[in-house]
Amino acid sequence: MENTIIRFIFLPMLLMQCFMAALAMSQPNFTTDQFALLEFKAHITSDPLNIMSSNWTFATSICNWVGVSCGALHRRVTTLDLPNMNLTGSLPPQLGNLSFLVSLNLSGNNFHSNLPLGFGKLQRLRLMDLSHNFLYGSIPDVIWLLSKLEIFRVGDNQLTGTISRNIGNLTKLRRIYIGDTKIRGKI
Ligand SMILES: *[C@@H]1O[C@H](CO)[C@@H](O)[C@H](O)[C@H]1NC(C)=O
Ligand SMILES: *[C@@H]1O[C@H](CO)[C@@H](O)[C@H](O)[C@H]1NC(C)=O
Ligand SMILES: *[C@@H]1O[C@H](CO)[C@@H](O)[C@H](O)[C@H]1NC(C)=O
Ligand SMILES: *[C@@H]1O[C@H](CO)[C@@H](O)[C@H](O)[C@H]1NC(C)=O
Ligand SMILES: *[C@@H]1O[C@H](CO)[C@@H](O)[C@H](O)[C@H]1NC(C)=O
Ligand SMILES: CC(=O)N[C@H]1CO[C@H](CO)[C@@H](O)[C@@H]1O
């Protein structure tokens, strides 16, 4: 009898509580994600295909915005993919607050900026493709500490610097494209 009560009443209640707790934990960061994406939108100076202006609005959740997807359970942003969209602008450091981001593909646009130091916080990132833009400055060392990174493409920009020996820490790295940049170093 007691066993049955535990199984049919307490266990579901416990699970529900865990779920609510998980939800409460991820809730504040939903607004962190929202803030990060709005900062990104604010740093877009030209959007000829009207992606941001017509779609990135509060008519829908950020998880329904073009190029954005979220985890099924935690509803945190996991993907920001807007390649070849003719977007002009810069990459704000706040993008580094998308702490659940797995894929970032902004290749083939007109982004003019540094690679923000904040990107070093993207600890879950597996794919970063920023190739074919106008990024400049040096690749911050923190990039070489993104331990989950599998694909790293920043070629066809004006990035400089050396590949840190920390690249040895990227044990998951399968593909790297830094062609046409002024990066030196041994791999
Ligand atoms: C934005 O685009 C997505 C996917 O095409 C769509 O599901 C969503 O409803 C659009 N949102 C708005 C506000 O247009
Ligand atoms: C990024 O998007 C472009 C365009 O769709 C695609 O060709 C490229 O392979 C993507 N990058 C990665 C690393 O998947
Ligand atoms: C982006 O702009 C170029 C030239 O301004 C144009 O040829 C190209 O079709 C545009 N891309 C898209 C996806 O509209
Ligand atoms: C997001 O990132 C910026 C710059 O990296 C930082 O100043 C800000 O406090 C961060 N946190 C939130 C919640 O936006
Ligand atoms: C990364 O590698 C460097 C040198 O190869 C090492 O000194 C450093 O401790 C490593 N860092 C991490 C966070 O593993
Ligand atoms: C509760 C929680 O996960 N908070 C995190 C939200 O995101 C910021 C910035 O990435 C972290 O610093 C918090 O720890």
Side-chain angles (χ1 to χ4, degrees):
M1 180 64 191
E2 248 172 56
N3 235 333
T4 323
I5 289 177
I6 289 175
R7 212 178 295 160
F8 289 102
I9 299 179
F10 286 112
L11 217 57
M13 269 171 67
L14 196 73
L15 283 175
M16 195 62 198
Q17 256 170 22
C18 287
F19 180 71
M20 296 304 278
L23 207 67
M25 250 172 69
S26 59
Q27 212 60 38
N29 268 330
F30 187 76
T31 52
T32 301
D33 288 0
Q34 207 165 34
F35 178 69
L37 292 180
L38 287 174
E39 267 313 294
F40 178 61
K41 181 180 178 182
H43 283 75
I44 302 290
T45 53
S46 167
D47 172 18
L49 307 176
N50 291 319
I51 295 150
M52 307 291 201
S53 51
S54 72
N55 190 276
W56 280 36
T57 70
F58 287 114
T60 57
S61 131
I62 58 171
C63 299
N64 295 326
W65 288 359
V66 169
V68 177
S69 57
C70 298
L73 277 180
H74 54 64
R75 308 303 287 162
R76 299 287 312 275
V77 172
T78 52
T79 303
L80 177 56
D81 286 354
L82 291 167
N84 304 324
M85 296 293 186
N86 278 357
L87 296 170
T88 303
S90 57
L91 302 175
Q94 284 84 359
L95 281 181
N97 292 343
L98 296 173
S99 46
F100 279 69
L101 201 65
V102 171
S103 170
L104 177 65
N105 191 344
L106 300 173
S107 67
N109 286 292
N110 306 307
F111 286 102
H112 296 76
S113 68
N114 293 63
L115 243 177
L117 253 175
F119 280 20
K121 293 189 288 178
L122 298 171
Q123 287 301 325
R124 288 181 174 84
L125 201 63
R126 283 195 237 138
L127 186 159
M128 186 188 310
D129 193 345
L130 303 172
S131 58
H132 306 285
N133 276 287
F134 297 92
L135 302 174
Y136 52 81
S138 59
I139 297 181
D141 271 356
V142 286
I143 295 293
W144 310 116
L145 297 175
L146 299 177
S147 59
K148 298 242 165 63
L149 206 57
E150 293 171 21
I151 302 178
F152 180 61
R153 292 170 55 88
V154 293
D156 278 310
N157 280 291
Q158 277 117 46
L159 292 163
T160 57
T162 52
I163 293 178
S164 151
R165 68 172 54 189
N166 286 348
I167 193 173
N169 299 2
L170 303 187
T171 53
K172 300 264 168 57
L173 199 63
R174 290 187 286 117
R175 295 206 331 243
I176 180 164
Y177 169 59
I178 51 174
D180 247 38
T181 52
K182 299 181 197 74
I183 298 164
R184 278 182 304 249
K186 284 185 286 194
I187 299 181

